[in-house]
Amino acid sequence: MGCLAVMAGWPLKRWLGLALVMLHLVTLGCALPKEVKSKVGEKVGLPCCHEIPSSESLRNYRVYWQRNSREVVLAYSQGVKISEDNQYTNRTELDSKNLTLWISPVEILDNGTYQCVVQNLRISHDFSPRVVCDAPVSLSVTADFSEPNITSNVINTTCESTEMVVTCSSYGGFPKPKISGFFNNGSLIWNTTWVSESSLSPYNVTGKLHLNVTKDINLTCSVEYNGFVKSTSLLLTKTNDCIAPTMPPSYNVITATSIIFIIFLLAITLAARYFPRHACFHCSKNQDPMDEDEKESMKPPTISKTTSETSSV
Ligand SMILES: *[C@@H]1O[C@H](CO)[C@@H](O)[C@H](O)[C@H]1NC(C)=O
Ligand SMILES: *[C@@H]1O[C@H](CO)[C@@H](O)[C@H](O)[C@H]1NC(C)=O
Ligand SMILES: *[C@@H]1O[C@H](CO)[C@@H](O)[C@H](O)[C@H]1NC(C)=O
Ligand SMILES: *[C@@H]1O[C@H](CO)[C@@H](O)[C@H](O)[C@H]1NC(C)=O
Ligand SMILES: *[C@@H]1O[C@H](CO)[C@@H](O)[C@H](O)[C@H]1NC(C)=O
Ligand SMILES: *[C@@H]1O[C@H](CO)[C@@H](O)[C@H](O)[C@H]1NC(C)=O
Ligand SMILES: *[C@@H]1O[C@H](CO)[C@@H](O)[C@H](O)[C@H]1NC(C)=O
Ligand SMILES: *[C@@H]1O[C@H](CO)[C@@H](O)[C@H](O)[C@H]1NC(C)=O
Ligand SMILES: *[C@@H]1O[C@H](CO)[C@@H](O)[C@H](O)[C@H]1NC(C)=O
Ligand SMILES: *[C@@H]1O[C@H](CO)[C@@H](O)[C@H](O)[C@H]1NC(C)=O
């Protein structure tokens, strides 16, 4: 309220200069509302502007926790709860000393600017309770996004480059995120689309990128929301089309070489099995007309004979 009064007085005081107005805003503590961050499902405490001294109690006060300047979230008068918004049923608690408003569990719909207004019932001012203080607190609610999922589709590939469409997607987070990305040390602009049922619902986000890859690159996709970041990296390899035309011939050469080598081996194996027989048969034919079997049976006596001859000598 004090903040608005100063704002209304702004045109009148314009001659005093911006500096003085700024001074007023700062003095009243409404230049920057205190910001509290919380994640969905957690418990958060919104600080109030007054702490009740130990000599007094909540019974001497009227406390309003409001939202967006009008809606009453929770109100206490003389120590008794006098009002509570349906949206906050069973989720709020008021600290009876420092008047902190506790909300648990936090929901996305709780996002917004709150205001704590404290009146002292014992001190009246112009026949109404004196406003002890009045201060805004902004609650920014965050819901975590999923780890980004990167997929790539090659749409054309030539000798110099590979043209691909890269998609990065993440879902279920809040608030509306930004997608940024890097490849090696360059930054990228993603063509981003968001899907959400309302401005206070979880978002699904998809970024698309048309890339012309001339060498292998390490691509990073980051989803940023309310100061939090979720990132995924993917190594994109250039599919080399230059080698492709020469690859089949080289494969053929290797295959042909292998086949020839195998045939050669087979030939040698077969030769090894049959050639000695033929050779021996051939030579035995020259030296001895006897059959192989006969020659075999004849051998031992020949040897023994020679041995005996040697021993006799
Ligand atoms: C208010 O008191 C509670 C404990 O009663 C404490 O946890 C909280 O930090 C206090 N808040 C402020 C703003 O002092
Ligand atoms: C709030 O809590 C009371 C008592 O535990 C319960 O009866 C009531 O149904 C709850 N209300 C909501 C909206 O959860
Ligand atoms: C959520 O609350 C913050 C703090 O009040 C505000 O800046 C932001 O615009 C709100 N977001 C939405 C979607 O209302
Ligand atoms: C990533 O997206 C692809 C295609 O949409 C899907 O098949 C895959 O399961 C997703 N991976 C994860 C981890 O969500
Ligand atoms: C692939 O790119 C080449 C050179 O840029 C182009 O000539 C060709 O038409 C493209 N093919 C397709 C299917 O887009
Ligand atoms: C990184 O950036 C510097 C300067 O902007 C540039 O000279 C360099 O070539 C870049 N390196 C890569 C791998 O893109
Ligand atoms: C972004 O995507 C939309 C729809 O897919 C398309 O119409 C638009 O031309 C794209 N913009 C850029 C800069 O690629
Ligand atoms: C967001 O994505 C999730 C998981 O893929 C899906 O279940 C949900 O319906 C999507 N939400 C919207 C608003 O499209
Ligand atoms: C991709 O880069 C190559 C070589 O730099 C170029 O010839 C081609 O036209 C580019 N394609 C696109 C879609 O930018
Ligand atoms: C890609 O880059 C990110 C960050 O720059 C790094 O954490 C990651 O290990 C890199 N991945 C590969 C496969 O090089």
Side-chain angles (χ1 to χ4, degrees):
M1 288 305 176
C3 201
L4 286 175
V6 172
M7 291 298 202
W10 196 343
L12 296 170
K13 289 177 180 172
R14 209 180 297 170
W15 60 274
L16 284 173
L18 189 64
L20 188 59
V21 176
M22 288 304 287
L23 186 68
H24 269 263
L25 291 171
V26 172
T27 332
L28 286 166
C30 54
L32 281 174
K34 217 172 228 160
E35 192 181 315
V36 177
K37 283 188 184 183
S38 177
K39 285 199 174 164
V40 167
E42 289 180 351
K43 182 173 185 172
V44 70
L46 304 181
C48 188
C49 46
H50 186 68
E51 175 143 12
I52 297 176
S54 49
S55 60
E56 286 183 280
S57 84
L58 192 57
R59 298 184 148 274
N60 309 128
Y61 290 86
R62 195 178 284 162
V63 181
Y64 293 98
W65 266 104
Q66 302 175 331
R67 196 174 151 195
N68 302 334
S69 309
R70 259 189 301 280
E71 312 147 31
V72 173
V73 172
L74 183 67
Y76 271 78
S77 182
Q78 296 178 298
V80 177
K81 192 196 282 183
I82 54 168
S83 173
E84 185 179 46
D85 189 293
N86 284 340
Q87 191 195 319
Y88 296 86
T89 308
N90 290 1
R91 294 197 298 126
T92 54
E93 225 177 285
L94 184 76
D95 187 285
S96 59
K97 277 295 167 196
N98 62 24
L99 310 177
T100 290
L101 173 69
W102 291 101
I103 305 176
S104 173
V106 169
E107 296 172 358
I108 288 177
L109 287 171
D110 298 340
N111 188 79
T113 303
Y114 292 73
Q115 206 174 9
C116 174
V117 181
V118 183
Q119 296 175 334
N120 190 324
L121 299 172
R122 286 173 133 190
I123 311 162
S124 65
H125 177 74
D126 295 342
F127 306 107
S128 64
R130 201 195 103 193
V131 174
V132 177
C133 73
D134 171 351
V137 186
S138 79
L139 172 61
S140 63
V141 179
T142 303
D144 277 331
F145 276 89
S146 64
E147 295 295 335
N149 185 359
I150 309 180
T151 54
S152 68
N153 275 319
V154 172
I155 53 171
N156 193 0
T157 177
T158 60
C159 188
E160 299 82 30
S161 65
T162 300
E163 237 185 291
M164 51 175 91
V165 171
V166 181
T167 307
C168 174
S169 57
S170 180
Y171 58 88
F174 185 85
K176 192 175 179 176
K178 269 198 287 186
I179 291 192
S180 61
F182 309 94
F183 67 89
N184 300 339
N185 62 1
S187 70
L188 300 164
I189 310 285
W190 297 78
N191 191 350
T192 313
T193 49
W194 295 268
V195 184
S196 175
E197 277 162 19
S198 77
S199 65
L200 285 171
S201 296
Y203 283 85
N204 285 0
V205 67
T206 305
K208 276 195 194 296
L209 204 61
H210 205 116
L211 274 184
N212 203 0
V213 178
T214 51
K215 58 178 187 237
D216 290 0
I217 59 168
N218 180 4
L219 183 88
T220 303
C221 170
S222 298
V223 176
E224 297 170 32
Y225 52 102
N226 213 359
F228 295 91
V229 181
K230 285 271 162 98
S231 294
T232 304
S233 290
L234 180 72
L235 195 62
L236 290 176
T237 50
K238 174 187 175 328
T239 49
N240 204 336
D241 217 22
C242 299
I243 297 168
T246 53
M247 278 300 263
S250 70
Y251 263 117
N252 285 349
V253 168
I254 291 170
T255 316
T257 314
S258 311
I259 289 168
I260 289 166
F261 187 66
I262 288 165
I263 289 169
F264 182 69
L265 275 182
L266 272 171
I268 288 189
T269 318
L270 288 173
R273 272 185 71 179
Y274 294 107
F275 189 67
R277 242 173 116 176
H278 286 285
C280 276
F281 190 63
H282 186 71
C283 65
S284 62
K285 241 181 184 174
N286 275 358
Q287 290 174 339
D288 206 323
M290 270 195 262
D291 266 345
E292 217 171 346
D293 288 347
E294 285 173 8
K295 187 194 112 192
E296 212 96 66
S297 59
M298 287 298 283
K299 255 181 182 172
T302 323
I303 291 164
S304 59
K305 196 180 157 189
T306 326
T307 322
S308 60
E309 270 175 22
T310 319
S311 57
S312 69
V313 170

